[in-house]
Amino acid sequence: GVQDPQHEKIITVTTNGSIHSPKFPHTYPRNTVLVWRLVAVDENVWIQLTFDERFGLEDPEDDICKYDFVEVEEPSDGTVLGRWCGSSSVPSRQISKGNQIRIRFVSDEYFPSEPGFCIHYTLLMPHHTEAPSPSLLPPSTLPLDVLNNAVAGFSTVEELIRYLEPDRWQLDLEDLYRPTWQLLGKAYIHGRKSR
């Protein structure tokens, strides 16, 4: 979470824009803490964050971003959606749960890197989208009642797996019927009945 709210800069979001580390795409300053809170004017929208391909902060230590990092937080419940540093990969897209999202940038007194980061923000309209037909969606994105009805129609596990994992259902099915060592052990102890 953010310790110093006085650092927080509130940005009212009405259109697309971006925020970036100071001096981007050049080396950012040391000993810096910056916090931005993006607030959409319309309460019924989400804010989507997309990181610029040019991304580089001080490398992590033991895979943990301790020194220089950028962090995205969901203000409604304080959940940290992610913390990123280094330069090996560009952070994935992030979407707020409501009409606000908070971004925090921290650099310590050593080894600032370039180019820093740049985050583009856009508004998404969650409540006004037309629902695409269920056949085009992967099952994991379907509404629960639709998924429920679909699943209720299956009579075998195989049909269910084939529906949920169209690309790899055969592999899953093989895994399902391959006995694990725990099962083998019980089968040997209890004889044929449990098998």
Side-chain angles (χ1 to χ4, degrees):
V2 176
Q3 305 309 318
D4 307 321
Q6 70 263 26
H7 285 301
E8 191 169 90
K9 179 178 179 187
I10 293 180
I11 297 176
T12 305
V13 180
T14 51
T15 175
N16 301 347
S18 62
I19 57 167
H20 53 79
S21 52
K23 301 185 182 169
F24 177 87
H26 305 292
T27 307
Y28 50 83
R30 298 183 239 194
N31 283 332
T32 304
V33 176
L34 292 171
V35 182
W36 298 268
R37 185 199 285 259
L38 305 181
V39 181
V41 180
D42 183 349
E43 287 188 4
N44 300 319
V45 297
W46 296 334
I47 300 172
Q48 173 178 283
L49 303 180
T50 311
F51 283 80
D52 193 287
E53 293 297 314
R54 295 168 295 175
F55 180 84
L57 301 174
E58 186 181 346
D59 286 331
E61 181 177 296
D62 302 326
D63 289 333
I64 298 167
C65 295
K66 298 178 184 174
Y67 307 116
D68 299 354
F69 57 84
V70 59
E71 183 175 78
V72 174
E73 182 186 278
E74 171 58 56
S76 65
D77 55 11
T79 316
V80 173
L81 301 175
R83 176 188 275 198
W84 301 275
C85 61
S87 55
S88 55
S89 63
V90 177
S92 60
R93 204 171 50 171
Q94 303 295 318
I95 297 176
S96 65
K97 290 180 187 163
N99 70 327
Q100 299 189 18
I101 199 156
R102 184 188 275 138
I103 299 157
R104 179 166 165 243
F105 168 61
V106 173
S107 69
D108 67 2
E109 55 197 309
Y110 306 106
F111 310 122
S113 304
E114 60 176 30
F117 69 90
C118 178
I119 300 174
H120 304 285
Y121 53 83
T122 52
L123 293 174
L124 292 181
M125 308 292 279
H127 304 298
H128 310 300
T129 50
E130 290 298 312
S133 64
S135 59
L136 302 175
L137 283 170
S140 56
T141 60
L142 292 174
L144 200 54
D145 50 343
V146 176
L147 193 56
N148 234 343
N149 292 340
V151 170
F154 299 129
S155 52
T156 67
V157 172
E158 185 176 324
E159 286 175 3
L160 177 64
I161 293 180
R162 189 182 297 194
Y163 172 72
L164 293 175
E165 295 281 358
D167 301 329
R168 45 162 298 168
W169 66 275
Q170 282 162 311
L171 294 170
D172 286 346
L173 211 59
E174 284 167 21
D175 284 347
L176 201 61
Y177 290 119
R178 186 178 297 130
T180 62
W181 61 269
Q182 292 105 325
L183 286 176
L184 280 176
K186 279 189 186 159
Y188 284 125
I189 296 162
H190 299 301
R192 278 203 312 247
K193 190 173 75 171
S194 64
R195 202 179 298 162

